[in-house]
């Protein structure tokens, strides 16, 4: 079966989905990721969900066009509410902020099982998501910073271990995004700039200015 082409963000997310796992594409939009996971043979079963009926209809049409409609279960619903305990091992949440992704995860107790893998493609609030994951017992396995549509993103991969902890500011800001790639350098430079901007209105201004300097140094190491 011919798998659809994925942009850099979705390609990075697909690479983190474990071969042979049942996966969920939450907020599937056009359904390209779900269709890719099925058509490429990476996943024997995929659940694609969206809160809007029109995008879900497009996802169904794409899966039918590629001949994988029997492998992709398209469901209309909000967040992880469409999933039942034990249905999937890998969950992809793309296109929502780190704050929204954290809220979605917090409302799904079944995700808090050892071995559950969650893959996030948030456009914003990555630091908030990293903090929530650590505090909730998820270990950040890896990240892939990418350039897409003229913007920098990072794709996060985490697994539930049950070992909750309080991460430091630098870990929340950088995570595992420090890689020797142009995308990582650009991503961390953006994080440093946002941290500097935040520092101007923060009571502990010097703390965040120091953090911004640390992140700038990390960005330089990536070049």
């Amino acid at each position: 079966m011919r798998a659809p082409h994925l942009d850099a963000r979705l390609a990075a997310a697909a690479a983190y989905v474990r071969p042979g796992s049942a996966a969920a594409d939450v907020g599937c939009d056009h359904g390209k990721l779900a269709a890719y996971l099925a058509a490429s043979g990476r996943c024997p079963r995929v659940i694609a969900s969206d809160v809007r009926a029109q995008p879900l209809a497009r996802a169904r049409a794409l899966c039918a066009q590629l001949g994988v409609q029997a492998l992709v279960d398209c469901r209309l619903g909000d967040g992880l509410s469409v999933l039942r305990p034990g249905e999937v091992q890998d969950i992809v949440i793309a296109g929502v902020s780190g704050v929204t992704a954290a809220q979605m995860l917090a409302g799904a107790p079944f995700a808090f099982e050892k071995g559950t893998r969650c893959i996030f493609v948030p456009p914003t609030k990555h630091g908030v998501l990293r903090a929530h994951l650590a505090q909730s017992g998820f270990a950040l396995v890896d990240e892939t910073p990418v350039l897409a549509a003229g913007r920098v993103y990072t794709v996060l991969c985490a697994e539930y271990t049950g070992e909750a902890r309080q991460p430091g500011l630098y870990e929340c800001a950088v995570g595992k995004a420090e890689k020797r790639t142009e995308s990582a350098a650009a991503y961390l430079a953006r994080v440093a700039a946002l941290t500097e901007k935040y520092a101007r209105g923060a009571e502990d201004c010097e703390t965040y200015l120091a953090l911004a300097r640390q992140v700038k140094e990390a960005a330089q190491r990536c070049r």
Side-chain angles (χ1 to χ4, degrees):
M1 287 176 279
R2 178 176 57 87
H5 173 74
L6 301 180
D7 66 16
R9 289 169 294 175
L10 293 184
Y16 283 135
V17 175
R18 293 170 289 191
S21 68
D25 178 11
V26 177
C28 66
D29 194 19
H30 41 55
K32 283 187 178 180
L33 176 60
Y36 175 89
L37 294 174
S40 66
R42 196 171 190 87
C43 296
R45 182 169 182 263
V46 183
I47 297 171
S49 72
D50 204 282
V51 72
R52 300 164 298 165
Q54 189 172 8
L56 198 64
R58 290 199 297 267
R60 285 195 181 97
L62 176 62
C63 290
Q65 178 186 339
L66 297 174
V68 295
Q69 65 270 34
L71 304 179
V72 181
D73 182 0
C74 293
R75 298 179 183 177
L76 182 66
D78 188 16
L80 303 186
S81 66
V82 299
L83 301 177
R84 294 185 290 272
E87 276 195 303
V88 298
Q89 294 80 51
D90 293 7
I91 302 170
V92 180
I93 302 175
V96 298
S97 76
V99 172
T100 301
Q103 292 170 343
M104 291 167 64
L105 191 60
F110 61 82
F112 295 79
E113 293 286 341
K114 287 190 177 180
T116 298
R117 173 171 286 196
C118 293
I119 301 150
F120 304 92
V121 192
T124 59
K125 303 295 183 181
H126 307 143
V128 173
L129 179 56
R130 292 188 189 101
H132 177 78
L133 289 170
Q135 293 161 357
S136 302
F138 282 83
L140 189 58
V141 175
D142 195 21
E143 291 188 44
T144 301
V146 297
L147 294 171
R151 292 184 58 186
V152 288
Y153 300 84
T154 190
V155 180
L156 297 86
C157 176
E159 290 184 10
Y160 185 72
T161 65
E163 298 176 9
R165 60 187 183 82
Q166 182 61 47
L169 283 176
Y170 182 81
E171 181 181 347
C172 291
V174 173
K176 292 185 177 292
E178 191 175 342
K179 307 286 180 64
R180 290 190 174 276
T181 66
E182 291 183 11
S183 297
Y187 171 72
L188 292 176
R190 175 63 175 160
V191 172
L194 290 173
T195 304
E196 281 185 339
K197 182 178 179 180
Y198 176 81
R200 297 189 195 111
E203 289 185 9
D204 45 355
C205 175
E206 291 304 320
T207 297
Y208 284 94
L209 286 175
L211 175 61
R213 288 193 291 271
Q214 283 183 287
V215 179
K216 277 185 181 178
E217 291 170 0
Q220 288 297 325
R221 290 194 293 271
C222 292
R223 298 185 189 282

